[in-house]
Amino acid sequence: MGSIGSTVEGVEAESTCALKDLDKNVYLLKLAGPSAISHNDPFWNQLLSFTFPTPTSSADAEHLERETVAIVRDFVANNPRTGNFAALAHVFIARTKELKISADCANDIFIWQTHNALFIMRCILKVFVSCLTEEEMVQHFTFLSPGSPPDEDSQFLLEDVLEQLFHVIIDVPHMTITYAVHLEAVTAMLVLLSVQLKQNQVLQEGPIYHLFTRGRSSKHAGRLVKALLYNFIRREAFPSLMVHQPPALHHEGSGVGAGGSGGLLYDLASGVATGLWTVLTLGAGTANHRDASSMHPGGDVPLANQSLLLLLGLTNLGETEEVVNPYRAAIVNCTNTQVCLFVDTGPVPPEIHTFQINFSSLFGALCVAQDHDAPTLLLYLLLHYNSSMRTFVLARTDIENLVLPIAHTLYCVEENNSQHVYMSLIVLLILSEDDTFNASIHEVMLSSVSWYTERSLADISVGSLLILVLIRTVQFNMTRTRDKYLHTNCLAVLANMSAHFRGLHQYAAQRIVSLLELLSRKHSKVLEQATQSTSPALGADGTGQVPDYAQDVAVVEEVMRMILEVVGSCVSGSLQHNPNLLYTLLYKRELFQAYRLQPAFADVTSNIHMVLEFFGARLEQAGSGLTVEQVQAVIKQGAMLLPKEKLTKFPELRFRYVEEENPAEFFVPYIWSLVYRWAYGLWWPPEAISLFPAVTAAKEAQNQRTTV
């Protein structure tokens, strides 16, 4: 690691200092000290001319915070009198105004120092958010130049800083030399929003909340959301380590030791030495980065990962009757650039937050990232709220590229957290509401499925694979987690698909019936326990309580009934297209004969019984000792002769996803738990978090990192 503020004119910036020496650094001590520093003091160029890899993991961030605790304590105590943070904010604002020009001119040294200013600001903001109230934090932005009278325009800088963060993310071009600045800007904005972590409920008021929802920058919400989405789409890898030799810069009469203060953006020569400079773009190419990339999702593409977390945080800011979330409005109203080239939708009212984006590129980025929570949440947000995006996705001819990663998430249900599994199921439920989707997934054939390890699958449709995964998830839930919402959503997806089953794979048909067999055995066992129980259970207050076995009976019967409805729907609507399912039903027909005598299932099995009797009679006529091929031939011939008019007509199985009344109560803690675990180079002490059980989350995150 290079040292902070180690450069003076004519001396190479190659000195190194251990992290533990930061609290002795003279420049940091001056910044935190009792003396006010003017925003145009040469000190800032000295301070910002350092080579210091910023944290790339929560462990790095925690180490940095713990090693600088003394300096930070002094800074927080002295800053209300010195205004040094406000001076630093002025330096940052002045530099960002020329950042775009510097990028166009490839002025890496200027960009590098701007990044360093933003990095220091972000670290200080993180301390403010963690240790102060929002009102106290705002007071630290009050700026009075030493010896100057109060100036209303410089009394409050927080909104100006946020405006420049918007500017960096939206307007500064994406280049290798600007990657670090973009990442720092996104991270700084995420730090500001992290005031939510200290609250035990969803924020709907406060200075930071109002700044993001009603401040000057909020009018650019659509542009910001678009920029963050493109960061996610591009998924740019971490830049390589670069070594530069800048030109010998000279500024006559204003070196580091010169008495003149110089202009606001005085020449870089006052703080930059000539000769070889190692420009460490966030420590890129170091071991720290490689370790971080293996620790968490998005570690190798930190800007994409951090942008997505920020986007989720912004779009899930609380709404009130008076305040509409402009970032969510932008997601809801965004349209496809490819469509807009040909369709004139007319002028958009200025109060509507919207933008255009390439849906095809966005779809591709979503497909490759569904193995992690945050991209699945973004997919849900787009499908549920944006009708244009939902229509686009459902019209894709390569929908399997999206479905297969989601199916893989469900297949690995034991390894994934419950929220990710739940959101993956919700996405499938939304997709399965469309008949075209349900039909198309049975038309796409897979030669093999590498991650399905229970059995080798060859020449199986995406639809049959999805059935296998859903059945497996239901079975896992019934035997392990027993989460009612999990199996209800699995069965809802199967029910929506059932009328469109086509060419079911033999193994998929077998697994449907096997699940019924398993549930039947469990049902018999629970009923047996019920008959052996002689006294009602009592609750803690001595009143009667529904015993566990009674609850188990209700759950098992509910699942059995829904599976039978799925089979009945297929039998009634697409039997001729599913000979493998009919073959399996005939092979296990004694199982269905038992259901006929049970009042709970008699109605939903009536069509199944009629079909089994019809084909059973035809098989008897064909004689005994039939081969599998001969049985299938009888089935195919009989399917065309089946008197469908005799089948009982049931309402078509239709389930739709309806969001709960207060969705923010689920989504906001979920999203910020992801930020807490996976934000690049950020750390929060667990005991300071009120939004969710952070101690548990910290242990889970550590376990996941250890597993990886």
Side-chain angles (χ1 to χ4, degrees):
M1 291 185 182
S3 62
I4 291 184
S6 62
T7 61
V8 292
E9 193 168 6
V11 180
E12 285 192 350
E14 288 188 304
S15 63
T16 59
C17 77
L19 190 61
K20 61 183 176 62
D21 295 328
L22 284 177
D23 60 350
K24 303 180 184 67
N25 185 277
V26 293
Y27 295 99
L28 292 180
L29 289 172
K30 182 175 180 180
L31 176 66
S35 301
I37 306 170
S38 171
H39 63 282
N40 58 1
D41 193 299
F43 163 82
W44 297 108
N45 266 358
Q46 297 168 342
L47 174 68
L48 301 180
S49 297
F50 64 83
T51 54
F52 184 81
T54 63
T56 58
S57 68
S58 59
D60 290 345
E62 180 183 3
H63 192 194
L64 176 62
E65 289 194 25
R66 294 194 184 283
E67 291 297 333
T68 56
V69 64
I71 285 183
V72 167
R73 183 177 60 246
D74 292 343
F75 182 86
V76 173
N78 292 322
N79 185 66
R81 294 186 297 274
T82 65
N84 286 344
F85 180 73
L88 174 60
H90 267 288
V91 172
F92 165 71
I93 290 169
R95 285 178 172 274
T96 52
K97 289 179 178 177
E98 298 196 14
L99 193 56
K100 188 175 185 298
I101 298 175
S102 299
D104 293 338
C105 299
N107 189 341
D108 3 0
I109 300 300
F110 185 91
I111 295 169
W112 167 48
Q113 289 193 323
T114 305
H115 160 264
N116 288 349
L118 182 51
F119 169 57
I120 295 175
M121 274 190 60
R122 184 257 287 183
C123 290
I124 296 173
L125 283 173
K126 170 66 173 52
V127 174
F128 287 168
V129 169
S130 299
C131 303
L132 306 175
T133 66
E134 289 188 54
E135 290 73 18
E136 291 171 338
M137 181 174 69
V138 169
Q139 291 175 5
H140 277 268
F141 280 83
T142 300
F143 175 76
L144 292 176
S145 299
S148 301
D151 180 1
E152 290 185 3
D153 293 335
S154 59
Q155 291 281 328
F156 182 61
L157 294 177
L158 178 54
E159 187 157 21
D160 295 333
V161 169
L162 182 61
E163 198 167 30
Q164 291 308 311
L165 293 176
F166 269 71
H167 164 65
V168 172
I169 297 171
I170 294 171
D171 297 321
V172 174
H174 282 263
M175 306 164 62
T176 300
I177 58 175
T178 62
Y179 189 99
V181 179
H182 274 280
L183 181 54
E184 275 303 320
V186 171
T187 303
M189 205 175 287
L190 197 59
V191 165
L192 281 173
L193 281 179
S194 69
V195 294
Q196 175 67 77
L197 286 171
K198 296 169 63 178
Q199 308 298 321
N200 57 12
Q201 58 187 5
V202 178
L203 278 180
Q204 293 182 336
E205 58 182 4
I208 301 299
Y209 172 79
H210 290 298
L211 201 61
F212 275 97
T213 56
R214 293 192 287 190
R216 290 197 309 266
S217 300
S218 63
K219 65 184 178 183
H220 302 300
R223 298 179 64 206
L224 178 65
V225 170
K226 179 178 180 178
L228 294 174
L229 281 174
Y230 271 122
N231 285 349
F232 170 69
I233 289 170
R234 280 188 288 262
R235 296 184 64 80
E236 292 175 342
F238 214 97
S240 302
L241 182 68
M242 300 171 294
V243 178
H244 298 276
Q245 183 172 4
L249 301 175
H250 299 283
H251 185 61
E252 296 183 8
S254 64
V256 172
S261 62
L264 188 61
L265 288 177
Y266 46 93
D267 200 298
L268 287 173
S270 62
V272 178
T274 59
L276 281 177
W277 278 76
T278 303
V279 180
L280 296 181
T281 307
L282 234 75
T286 64
N288 281 353
H289 166 65
R290 289 191 296 272
D291 292 344
S293 67
S294 65
M295 282 182 180
H296 59 74
D300 54 339
V301 285
L303 180 57
N305 178 63
Q306 208 86 322
S307 296
L308 180 53
L309 292 174
L310 174 58
L311 178 60
L312 292 173
L314 289 169
T315 53
N316 283 275
L317 284 170
E319 291 188 320
T320 65
E321 293 182 0
E322 297 81 20
V323 180
V324 174
N325 183 333
Y327 311 96
R328 176 168 294 229
I331 281 284
V332 172
N333 296 305
C334 74
T335 55
N336 188 3
T337 53
Q338 296 168 312
V339 171
C340 292
L341 290 174
F342 307 102
V343 179
D344 183 11
T345 57
V348 178
E351 68 273 11
I352 300 298
H353 299 278
T354 186
F355 60 93
Q356 298 173 6
I357 195 168
N358 189 314
F359 278 4
S360 182
S361 299
L362 181 55
F363 176 80
L366 288 166
C367 288
V368 301
Q370 286 305 301
D371 51 342
H372 299 304
D373 298 67
T376 302
L377 278 169
L378 175 60
L379 176 61
Y380 162 79
L381 197 64
L382 289 164
L383 290 177
H384 183 57
Y385 288 103
N386 189 305
S387 58
S388 297
M389 185 65 181
R390 183 168 61 251
T391 300
F392 175 85
V393 169
L394 291 169
R396 296 287 298 192
T397 57
D398 58 348
I399 192 68
E400 70 275 8
N401 290 337
L402 182 63
V403 173
L404 289 176
I406 296 175
H408 187 208
T409 296
L410 298 180
Y411 182 77
C412 299
V413 60
E414 301 97 329
E415 303 168 14
N416 290 307
N417 68 71
S418 59
Q419 293 103 324
H420 189 199
V421 171
Y422 184 71
M423 292 312 304
S424 297
L425 278 172
I426 296 300
V427 167
L428 286 179
L429 180 55
I430 293 172
L431 293 174
S432 71
E433 293 171 9
D434 182 77
D435 290 342
T436 303
F437 168 82
N438 293 327
S440 65
I441 56 175
H442 289 286
E443 297 171 358
V444 181
M445 301 301 297
L446 306 171
S447 58
S448 62
V449 184
S450 59
W451 45 262
Y452 198 97
T453 57
E454 273 108 333
R455 171 174 171 159
S456 177
L457 298 176
D459 298 323
I460 186 172
S461 70
V462 172
S464 289
L465 176 63
L466 196 52
I467 291 169
L468 283 173
V469 171
L470 290 168
I471 291 293
R472 184 179 184 273
T473 306
V474 171
Q475 184 169 336
F476 171 81
N477 184 60
M478 294 298 294
T479 56
R480 303 273 191 89
T481 58
R482 301 176 67 180
D483 181 344
K484 179 180 179 180
Y485 292 104
L486 186 63
H487 73 246
T488 298
N489 282 290
C490 282
L491 295 170
V493 177
L494 284 171
N496 285 346
M497 294 169 55
S498 60
H500 303 274
F501 285 173
R502 294 291 187 276
L504 285 191
H505 192 275
Q506 180 182 6
Y507 187 52
Q510 291 173 0
R511 293 298 296 146
I512 293 173
V513 177
S514 294
L515 177 60
L516 279 171
E517 287 185 298
L518 174 67
L519 293 171
S520 295
R521 290 194 296 269
K522 186 175 182 63
H523 187 247
S524 299
K525 183 177 180 180
V526 174
L527 287 178
E528 182 180 348
Q529 292 175 343
T531 57
Q532 292 175 353
S533 177
T534 57
S535 58
L538 295 178
D541 57 356
T543 60
Q545 186 180 34
V546 178
D548 290 342
Y549 65 78
Q551 296 177 6
D552 289 345
V553 168
V555 171
V556 173
E557 287 185 351
E558 177 188 7
V559 176
M560 291 174 67
R561 185 176 175 85
M562 288 193 71
I563 291 290
L564 289 169
E565 287 181 330
V566 167
V567 174
S569 174
C570 179
V571 164
S572 302
S574 56
L575 184 64
Q576 67 275 22
H577 302 295
N578 295 288
N580 285 331
L581 177 61
L582 183 52
Y583 181 91
T584 306
L585 295 178
L586 288 166
Y587 187 73
K588 295 287 185 177
R589 55 184 154 181
E590 69 280 356
L591 174 67
F592 295 92
Q593 289 171 354
Y595 294 141
R596 195 171 192 175
L597 304 176
Q598 300 182 44
F601 311 120
D603 58 333
V604 295
T605 57
S606 59
N607 286 341
I608 299 175
H609 295 314
M610 202 210 88
V611 168
L612 290 178
E613 288 176 356
F614 174 82
F615 282 94
R618 295 190 66 85
L619 287 174
E620 288 180 5
Q621 293 175 4
S624 59
L626 298 178
T627 64
V628 173
E629 291 76 14
Q630 289 173 325
V631 171
Q632 290 179 339
V634 172
I635 288 173
K636 289 180 181 179
Q637 184 181 20
M640 295 184 289
L641 303 174
L642 179 69
K644 295 183 180 179
E645 67 278 1
K646 293 184 178 181
L647 296 175
T648 303
K649 294 188 181 298
F650 291 100
E652 186 176 357
L653 295 177
R654 287 282 186 180
F655 289 87
R656 293 195 174 277
Y657 170 70
V658 178
E659 200 169 60
E660 293 185 2
E661 186 176 352
N662 297 308
E665 294 179 1
F666 168 78
F667 286 106
V668 171
Y670 179 22
I671 288 166
W672 280 100
S673 71
L674 298 179
V675 174
Y676 175 80
R677 291 174 180 169
W678 304 125
Y680 195 85
L682 287 174
W683 171 79
W684 289 269
E687 63 275 9
I689 293 175
S690 301
L691 186 61
F692 53 83
V695 175
T696 302
K699 291 179 179 178
E700 290 178 357
Q702 181 60 44
N703 291 338
Q704 290 178 16
R705 293 186 184 113
T706 303
T707 302
V708 172

